[in-house]
Structure formats: structure tokens, C-alpha cells
Amino acid sequence: MKKLTFSRLLRLGAAALLALGLAACSTTDIGNAPTLPANARWGLLPFANHTETPQAGLRAEAIAETILRTNGMTELQHYPASLNNETLFEPMDRKQLDAALQWARSENIAYALSGSVDEWRYKVGIDGEPAVGMTLQLIEVATGKVVWAAAGAKSGWSREALSAVAQKLARTLLAPLRSTISDSTPAVPATGAPATFNGGA
């Protein structure tokens, strides 16, 4: 009887683990960290919203910006708000992204992070799991060339916040850039004074 109970417990445990894995799965394709000049100036460009969720692009770029700053890029330059007029009813268009790239050139920014949001919703159903999909691109501003890219999709637990899933996905996608950011940040002086990020070229 004990063996039967233990066997049933094992089967139930395996089924529960499988269900958890299916409920919170992710898929990512992430490029290797690029080799960039030390102290290159970085900027943030608008994120395109390809979903039916209003302002999903603005939410995703805010999360990406925060992650970059907490990883050490304290002087990341954000594009002017006037270059992104996404509203609850009108998504950002391609012309605005081109204008933001022109702004980055005028500010002598060497590399700019842009991206797009392809999914940002709670799935339809009893559980209503949160699901997020996004792409990221690091652009060499002078040439418009993409020097690094990543794409991913992630779903969470039924009681998990959509923003939490988005934050986890963005952190995973941006992970390769940590070493690049670290290489661009001056070391702490011998006096023990805190170092500051030099955004100059």
C-alpha cells in the first residue's frame, strides 16, 4: 500500500512539475555581446508597439531603461518625449523612430537601444497567464547598422503580474550587454570616491 501511495505521489509530482513548466515557459534568441569602444555614448530610442495593448512600447522601453541604468549605465541618454507621441489610441509610427535616430546623431551618441513589443497581454482563459514578447536591437547610430539583437517571449503564472514577466524577459535579453556596460564604466578611484559613468566619447 505504501509503495502504491509513493508511486502515485511521484506521478502527481511529475505532473505538477510539467504543468508548472508549461505555465511559465520562455523562448529566446540572444546575440553575443558586441565589442564596443570604451566610454561610447549610449542612447535609448522608442520601442515600437506591434500589439493591441495601448502604450506597450512605452512600458517596455521604461523597463529596459531601468535595467540598463541599474547595470551601471547611469548616463544613458533618453530620446526627447516629443519624438514619441504614442497614445492610448495611436501607436508610434516608423517616422518617429527615424526622427529619434536623427536626434541620436545630433547628440553624437554612438550606440542606441531600440526594440519592439510583439505581445503584451493576459491570455484568454480561466487562468489568464501573462505573456510578453519583445525584440531588442543595439544600433550603431552613425551608420544605422544593427550590431546586436535579441528576441524572446515569456509567459508567467496565472497570479503573476504582466510587468513582472516583462521585467524578467528584458533582464534575460539584456544580460549579454552587462559586460559591455562594465567595460565602459571607469573603475572606482583609489581614494574610494564613487565612480561616475562618463558618457563622453
Side-chain angles (χ1 to χ4, degrees):
M1 183 69 178
K2 289 183 179 180
K3 289 184 178 179
L4 178 60
T5 302
F6 183 69
S7 176
R8 289 182 63 188
L9 286 174
L10 283 178
R11 289 198 299 270
L12 289 173
L17 288 174
L18 179 60
L20 287 175
L22 292 174
C25 57
S26 62
T27 302
T28 57
D29 290 292
I30 306 173
N32 295 324
T35 301
L36 304 177
N39 297 329
R41 300 185 70 189
W42 285 47
L44 183 71
L45 301 182
F47 280 33
N49 182 9
H50 297 155
T51 76
E52 295 181 355
T53 304
Q55 298 184 326
L58 290 171
R59 300 176 195 179
E61 72 185 39
I63 291 173
E65 179 180 7
T66 300
I67 292 173
L68 288 175
R69 291 187 184 280
T70 56
N71 283 341
M73 188 164 287
T74 57
E75 296 198 17
L76 174 72
Q77 289 190 254
H78 191 287
Y79 67 89
S82 60
L83 295 179
N84 188 347
N85 60 4
E86 180 178 357
T87 67
L88 292 175
F89 307 103
E90 292 293 333
M92 185 196 72
D93 58 28
R94 178 68 192 184
K95 292 181 180 179
Q96 291 169 299
L97 180 58
D98 292 339
L101 192 56
Q102 288 295 332
W103 162 81
R105 293 191 179 105
S106 70
E107 293 292 322
N108 295 319
I109 292 172
Y111 299 95
L113 183 73
S114 184
S116 65
V117 182
D118 304 304
E119 186 175 20
W120 190 283
R121 66 187 176 97
Y122 288 97
K123 294 181 179 179
V124 178
I126 298 176
D127 294 330
E129 299 96 343
V132 175
M134 68 175 72
T135 65
L136 299 175
Q137 294 182 334
L138 187 63
I139 301 171
E140 185 178 58
V141 174
T143 63
K145 177 183 177 182
V146 176
V147 296
W148 174 85
K154 183 176 179 63
S155 61
W157 320 116
S158 59
R159 295 183 180 273
E160 194 170 9
L162 184 59
S163 59
V165 175
Q167 184 174 342
K168 290 177 182 178
L169 177 60
R171 188 184 300 122
T172 298
L173 296 179
L174 289 168
L177 299 184
R178 289 176 186 169
S179 60
T180 301
I181 295 171
S182 177
D183 291 343
S184 300
T185 305
V188 176
T191 58
T196 57
F197 179 80
N198 181 8

